[in-house]
Amino acid sequence: MEIWLEKLFQKLERKFDAECSRIGDKIPYWTEDGEYKTDYAEKNMNWWTNGFWPGILWQMYHATGKERYRQAAEGVERKLDKALWGFTGLHHDVGFMWLHSAVANYRLTGSTESRNRGLLAASILAGRYNPAGRFIRAWNPDCVEEGQDCTGWIIVDSMMNIPLLYWASKEVEDPRFYYIAKNHANTVRRTLVREDGSCGHIACLNPDTGELEKILAGQGYSETSSWSRGQSWILYGFALSYRYTGDPVYLNTAKKTAHYVIANAALTDYVPLCDYRQPAEPAYLDASAGLCTACGLLEIADHVGAEEKRLYREHAERIVKAIAETCCDWDPGRDSIVQNCKVDYHSTGDRQTDLIYADYFLAEAVLRLMGKEFLIW
Ligand code: GLY
């Protein structure tokens, strides 16, 4: 084991141990004055990031065997039932919520209750499929601005949610979920991935035909720019779709996007900008995009020969090292690790901030590099 990785893992464990004692089965999103003051179980049970804390806990349970991580993760999973049974308010991001909680639990402990939660979440995601347009729709009317109709909208983030469908298909030994995931991936590739490996965030499709009507900037700078976290969703998401389908088109899509991202991230010493085509000032960074990219590069590395593997692993290491050295708060007395993230290029309320999913992807990247990860997707 390389020493820098061992040291990094020790720092992660110290930090997550301390956080687990402080927050247990509360649901964190971001800090206020270095503290997870708001419990999303109270603020918004449907919030798309509510699975990332249990995701961290299951990764740490798998890596260390510490029971306290498992207990806290199970506590969050039970709370999420309110969202699952509430149904209204759920969205395209249910994969992020239940792959990291219930499905992770089932995969590690065999809990049938957790398996059922996962299958129910998969059915909710599959229920969002539009067979005429061959896509899984994003959001609900109350999530978009007044006057906007999102019936035909798809977003790149969805690529990280469809592994829930691949899992469900295998679990119930029925290809229905698989075909929904594959048809959706094909629509995302056709409409949002550009020739040069960059991508848009939102595609507005005709809901009756699936025909592309327009692209929207979404959380990126503009409709023709490239939002860096969206790039990482595409890169990692297509690599995962390759894992589950073996379709070489998906691996090539992941690689093409990876090459674009690597070239751009290198220009800012491997801590990505919020958008690779944003103006020079303000120079917003998004470390969460870097860490999700690192995990995606390591996923690609799992599917290529030895020579190519080096390319992806080497760049994943550069990203993790750069972020661990320049963007992290390692003080166990304070909550959150990764700083310098951004939710949305144009939002004014969010400063350069910490985000719970950045910490999740840091943990996953470090564990992947150590060969100690648990595949949650
Ligand atoms: N899924 C929303 C985001 O990446 O911010």
Side-chain angles (χ1 to χ4, degrees):
M1 177 75 55
E2 291 168 76
I3 291 173
W4 73 274
L5 276 174
E6 255 176 58
K7 286 194 172 150
L8 201 46
F9 182 71
Q10 283 165 9
K11 289 201 277 189
L12 275 180
E13 194 177 359
R14 261 201 302 277
K15 191 90 186 196
F16 289 140
D17 272 350
E19 287 183 357
C20 190
S21 304
R22 281 195 292 272
I23 60 174
D25 64 2
K26 291 195 183 120
I27 308 184
Y29 173 50
W30 59 14
T31 60
E32 293 144 83
D33 305 320
E35 223 185 293
Y36 287 129
K37 291 185 182 164
T38 306
D39 179 2
Y40 270 66
E42 282 162 20
K43 182 170 174 157
N44 182 357
M45 195 46 107
N46 295 322
W47 188 234
W48 73 278
T49 67
N50 286 354
F52 286 102
W53 175 234
I56 289 171
L57 295 165
W58 284 118
Q59 289 287 3
M60 293 305 290
Y61 171 70
H62 178 258
T64 67
K66 288 182 188 166
E67 280 297 307
R68 50 211 298 258
Y69 289 132
R70 183 181 63 77
Q71 282 161 8
E74 286 178 344
V76 177
E77 182 183 330
R78 282 191 294 272
K79 289 182 182 175
L80 287 176
D81 282 351
K82 197 171 155 206
L84 195 57
W85 295 112
F87 183 79
T88 306
L90 285 179
H91 38 64
H92 58 269
D93 275 336
V94 292
F96 285 131
M97 295 173 74
W98 280 282
L99 277 171
H100 297 63
S101 55
V103 179
N105 188 350
Y106 168 63
R107 281 170 161 159
L108 289 174
T109 72
S111 158
T112 48
E113 203 184 340
S114 298
R115 177 181 186 268
N116 290 343
R117 287 184 176 113
L119 290 174
L120 198 48
S123 303
I124 289 170
L125 188 58
R128 300 183 66 85
Y129 183 65
N130 175 328
R134 297 166 81 89
F135 65 87
I136 295 168
R137 76 166 277 183
W139 292 304
N140 300 315
D142 61 342
C143 305
V144 296
E145 284 167 31
E146 213 176 297
Q148 284 182 320
D149 172 14
C150 61
T151 320
W153 288 16
I154 59 169
I155 55 173
V156 288
D157 323 34
S158 59
M159 289 306 299
M160 294 300 287
N161 285 277
I162 58 174
L164 180 64
L165 301 179
Y166 294 127
W167 167 78
S169 249
K170 199 148 183 261
E171 206 49 43
V172 298
E173 297 180 3
D174 184 320
R176 285 171 299 152
F177 295 102
Y178 173 94
Y179 285 123
I180 289 175
K182 201 159 189 302
N183 288 350
H184 178 75
N186 291 341
T187 303
V188 169
R189 204 178 76 81
R190 173 173 64 80
T191 57
L192 280 161
V193 183
R194 305 184 191 115
E195 265 310 302
D196 67 353
S198 69
C199 68
H201 183 195
I202 303 174
C204 307
L205 311 179
N206 179 317
D208 299 315
T209 63
E211 202 181 312
L212 177 63
E213 290 178 341
K214 62 178 172 191
I215 302 287
L216 298 177
Q219 285 157 261
Y221 171 66
S222 78
E223 59 276 18
T224 54
S225 69
S226 67
W227 174 47
S228 62
R229 195 163 59 255
Q231 292 284 158
S232 71
W233 296 147
I234 283 283
L235 185 165
Y236 196 0
F238 274 98
L240 287 166
S241 271
Y242 176 72
R243 173 182 281 273
Y244 293 112
T245 65
D247 187 335
V249 170
Y250 296 160
L251 184 58
N252 285 335
T253 304
K255 284 186 186 181
K256 181 167 87 168
T257 315
H259 302 160
Y260 174 90
V261 167
I262 288 169
N264 281 282
L267 296 176
T268 48
D269 296 328
Y270 296 97
V271 182
L273 296 169
C274 173
D275 189 309
Y276 293 120
R277 292 292 174 268
Q278 70 190 30
E281 293 295 334
Y284 295 131
L285 299 172
D286 185 7
S288 77
L291 293 163
C292 179
T293 293
C295 294
L297 294 175
L298 293 168
E299 177 65 24
I300 297 174
D302 275 355
H303 306 293
V304 296
E307 275 308 304
E308 255 190 294
K309 204 183 278 295
R310 276 184 46 218
L311 168 79
Y312 298 108
R313 187 176 165 104
E314 169 76 31
H315 284 94
E317 283 186 6
R318 286 186 197 184
I319 293 170
V320 171
K321 277 185 187 160
I323 291 173
E325 282 164 16
T326 64
C327 303
C328 289
D329 179 343
W330 293 110
D331 178 355
R334 292 165 59 83
D335 288 333
S336 90
I337 301 175
V338 183
Q339 315 296 308
N340 301 89
C341 302
K342 185 100 175 85
V343 174
D344 177 335
Y345 179 85
H346 290 288
S347 62
T348 45
D350 70 325
R351 65 268 165 178
Q352 290 274 258
T353 186
D354 55 284
L355 290 165
I356 190 66
Y357 43 94
D359 286 14
Y360 170 80
F361 285 109
L362 174 65
E364 184 187 306
V366 171
L367 290 167
R368 269 184 176 269
L369 286 167
M370 294 171 80
K372 285 176 96 171
E373 82 281 9
F374 155 60
L375 185 72
I376 232 160
W377 304 100

